[in-house]
Amino acid sequence: MHITIGIVGTGYVGLVTGACFAEFGVSVTCTDRDKKKIQSLRSGFIPFYEPRLEELVKKNLKEGRLKFTTNLSDVVRSSLVIFLTVGTSPRGDGSADLRSIEDVAREIARHMNGYKVIAIKSTVPVGVGERLRKVISESLKGHTDFDIVSNPEFLREGSAIEDFMRPNRVVIGTDSEKAKEIMKALYKPLYLIETPFVVTDIKTAELIKYASNCFLSTKISFINEMANLCEKLGADVHVVAKGMGLDGRIGPKFLHPGPGFGGSCFPKDLWALLHLAGNNGTELKIVKAVIEVNEAQRYHMINKIKTAMGTLKGKTVAVLGLSFKPNTDDIREAPAFYIIEGILKEGAYVRAYDPAAMKNFKTVLPDISYFKNPYSAVREADALIIVTEWNEFRNLDLERIKGLLKKPYFFFDLRNIYEPAKMRALSFKYFCVGRPCEDRINE
Ligand code: NAD
């Protein structure tokens, strides 16, 4: 079966989905309301940083399987499956903003020229699939058949291509046999590599996405609380995490302590699920606690720095890593933002460096100083703080750093990249998260 697909919303998820399906041999047309974005994508320019994506887009553009247009009508008419990948950012009350996805559904309905599968890849609260079915039915001109599929996306920014091409699972939620067969045919290359498929109803598929993100965030907040306890007890959270993770029922992933999670998904999905549950008369106590612990963790980091240095007033601090995680330029809900904001409030100056995210960060914090490498950021600073664990921070020339930092060489490693004993031997005042280091020694 030759399937043509359309992608509406060419952001991280939309572009990765489009490029990867094109790589699977499918004809893909992507559209977005941002005309400038579509214009630059046509010439192979990727508006954000994601490893391997540019080469994949350029290759498939050249081979004619991937197209970009600003004309939604063309996308609808030429596609059998239309993926909705627009953003679902939170509104003031934490609930998901569904205006874009509903607008898109209405617009699609107006151009439908035959049977279509409307596949929702955006993360949407339970019930939105049904709501879009109604929105489309009401906006259709005449009678046109269509099916709704919930096909949530689980890719991680920074390894999005690998995650899309080799996912842990594909979730398909639908009540239509026909749509199910079309979706399975589309994902055939993943069937061939024995990817597990979870085929279920629309509501269950929608909830799987939220439940997964909330559970992963729970693991992070849990280990952060254990790290804080380790700091009090003099225990080592890395060994605790290892000891826990070796239990097959727990697993080793997402047990890395740090400054708390951020990004475009976890925080907003936690709030959206909380909101959805509240509207349905259910209190999600764990989800609530996960949010609280995460927010407190940022302040714990700021306090750790302030307590160690005595005061931050008038101090100059070098911050390495601004993106919410390595290998992306995405700064949405980045811990670095909250930590820098806290440090600035205490009266410090910030010199920042990030391999990819400085352009984005300048749009939210234009008044701090930015540098083109870690060493120029550290020059004459009173302290260095690693907030995001980019690979290039794992092997810093520590002697050079010491030569650039002011005494007594405050080094805050919020990602536990370095070994405390080695850092002490190099005479750094080294602080990390949940492992015995200076905080403990000074007590
Ligand atoms: P994004 O902001 O990068 O991209 C969304 C795109 O949709 C933008 O380019 C925007 O211009 C476009 N858009 C918005 N309204 C539109 C409209 N009316 N018509 C056409 N285009 C429109 O967002 P994203 O990170 O790709 O996330 C998209 C969805 O996927 C969200 O629901 C998100 O929760 C979910 N998701 C994201 C990730 C991730 O890692 N980023 C992973 C899994 C799921």
Side-chain angles (χ1 to χ4, degrees):
M1 182 181 333
H2 185 72
I3 301 171
T4 48
I5 69 169
I7 308 272
V8 187
T10 311
Y12 279 92
V13 170
L15 188 58
V16 170
T17 303
C20 290
F21 273 127
E23 185 67 11
F24 289 163
V26 176
S27 301
V28 182
T29 314
C30 301
T31 188
D32 199 284
R33 68 173 171 194
D34 183 342
K35 293 192 167 60
K36 257 170 69 188
K37 188 184 262 187
I38 293 296
Q39 213 60 50
S40 53
L41 280 165
R42 274 190 180 141
S43 45
F45 175 76
I46 310 295
F48 52 85
Y49 175 76
E50 179 61 43
R52 290 177 54 205
L53 185 57
E54 187 168 321
E55 64 183 79
L56 213 60
V57 168
K58 282 191 169 143
K59 174 173 175 250
N60 284 283
L61 259 176
K62 196 167 154 223
E63 291 168 8
R65 286 187 300 272
L66 183 61
K67 293 194 182 82
F68 297 99
T69 176
T70 49
N71 191 329
L72 179 69
S73 161
D74 283 353
V75 174
V76 176
R77 287 168 186 280
S78 64
S79 309
L80 173 61
V81 181
I82 302 161
F83 282 96
L84 308 189
T85 50
V86 297
T88 47
S89 51
R91 296 193 300 196
D93 62 358
S95 64
D97 187 342
L98 301 171
R99 279 174 302 181
S100 280
I101 204 159
E102 287 186 6
D103 286 350
V104 166
R106 253 178 239 111
E107 187 80 359
I108 288 173
R110 281 196 278 273
H111 299 295
M112 268 164 47
N113 57 340
Y115 176 78
K116 308 284 171 192
V117 173
I118 310 295
I120 306 167
K121 235 186 206 312
S122 299
T123 304
V124 293
V126 178
V128 169
E130 286 310 326
R131 196 155 135 190
L132 293 192
R133 193 199 301 274
K134 198 161 165 267
V135 167
I136 294 174
S137 299
E138 286 169 358
S139 311
L140 274 176
K141 289 183 182 157
H143 179 80
T144 312
D145 207 10
F146 71 95
D147 281 312
I148 297 279
V149 170
S150 166
N151 177 216
E153 182 50 59
F154 299 94
L155 62 78
R156 294 163 301 172
E157 288 174 20
S159 53
I161 306 291
E162 177 67 14
D163 288 348
F164 195 94
M165 300 256 189
R166 295 185 175 276
N168 293 147
R169 78 302 209 184
V170 171
V171 174
I172 295 174
T174 183
D175 52 9
S176 152
E177 265 312 304
K178 184 174 173 183
K180 187 171 98 186
E181 290 315 313
I182 291 171
M183 293 302 285
K184 279 186 168 177
L186 194 54
Y187 278 109
K188 197 167 160 211
L190 299 184
Y191 251 85
L192 299 177
I193 56 168
E194 296 184 0
T195 305
F197 276 65
V198 179
V199 182
T200 179
D201 58 86
I202 297 174
K203 285 184 181 169
T204 308
E206 289 168 336
L207 189 55
I208 288 172
K209 173 66 191 176
Y210 281 102
S212 302
N213 273 1
C214 291
F215 191 76
L216 290 171
S217 330
T218 304
K219 282 187 97 173
I220 299 175
S221 276
F222 183 86
I223 204 66
N224 279 339
E225 281 207 313
M226 287 305 115
N228 298 345
L229 183 60
C230 282
E231 286 176 8
K232 294 282 179 205
L233 300 176
D236 185 334
V237 72
H238 276 200
V239 186
V240 173
K242 185 175 177 192
M244 288 169 63
L246 285 168
D247 184 328
R249 295 168 300 178
I250 299 174
K253 302 229 169 110
F254 275 71
L255 290 179
H256 302 287
F261 55 78
S264 67
C265 292
F266 285 0
K268 93 167 165 48
D269 292 350
L270 287 159
W271 279 110
L273 189 63
L274 212 53
H275 203 269
L276 175 79
N279 279 349
N280 287 278
T282 305
E283 193 189 359
L284 297 182
K285 291 182 184 157
I286 293 177
V287 173
K288 218 180 207 167
V290 169
I291 295 173
E292 276 171 26
V293 170
N294 195 52
E295 289 175 358
Q297 191 67 3
R298 299 167 188 156
Y299 298 105
H300 180 56
M301 296 297 117
I302 299 164
N303 271 336
K304 183 193 275 281
I305 296 163
K306 189 178 154 191
T307 309
M309 296 180 71
T311 177
L312 276 161
K313 202 167 170 46
K315 302 280 185 198
T316 301
V317 172
V319 173
L320 303 188
L322 303 173
S323 55
F324 85 92
K325 66 173 180 178
N327 297 326
T328 179
D329 60 358
D330 198 336
I331 57 156
R332 289 179 279 187
E333 291 293 311
F337 175 79
Y338 294 100
I339 289 169
I340 292 177
E341 214 186 26
I343 290 171
L344 292 173
K345 260 195 202 133
E346 292 291 332
Y349 304 98
V350 172
R351 298 165 66 89
Y353 169 72
D354 186 281
M358 289 198 288
K359 190 167 158 236
N360 287 341
F361 218 80
K362 279 179 193 168
T363 63
V364 292
L365 278 183
D367 295 332
I368 59 170
S369 311
Y370 294 89
F371 294 85
K372 59 179 189 310
N373 64 55
Y375 302 100
S376 19
V378 167
R379 188 180 302 277
E380 291 289 299
D382 295 289
L384 178 163
I385 311 173
I386 296 181
V387 184
T388 313
E389 69 281 33
W390 283 87
N391 272 342
E392 73 171 81
F393 304 149
R394 291 180 187 276
N395 266 312
L396 290 170
D397 179 343
L398 294 171
E399 286 295 353
R400 190 172 163 200
I401 293 283
K402 217 170 79 185
L404 292 165
L405 264 183
K406 282 195 201 156
K407 277 188 178 163
Y409 313 126
F410 281 112
F411 194 123
F412 299 93
D413 176 3
L414 307 189
R415 298 289 179 174
N416 290 355
I417 294 174
Y418 290 97
E419 273 311 310
K422 188 179 163 202
M423 297 304 279
R424 264 198 306 276
L426 284 166
S427 311
F428 282 105
K429 282 229 164 272
Y430 178 76
F431 298 82
C432 48
V433 185
R435 296 182 300 170
C437 50
E438 295 284 346
D439 342 30
R440 186 70 199 162
I441 287 158
N442 287 346
E443 271 172 20

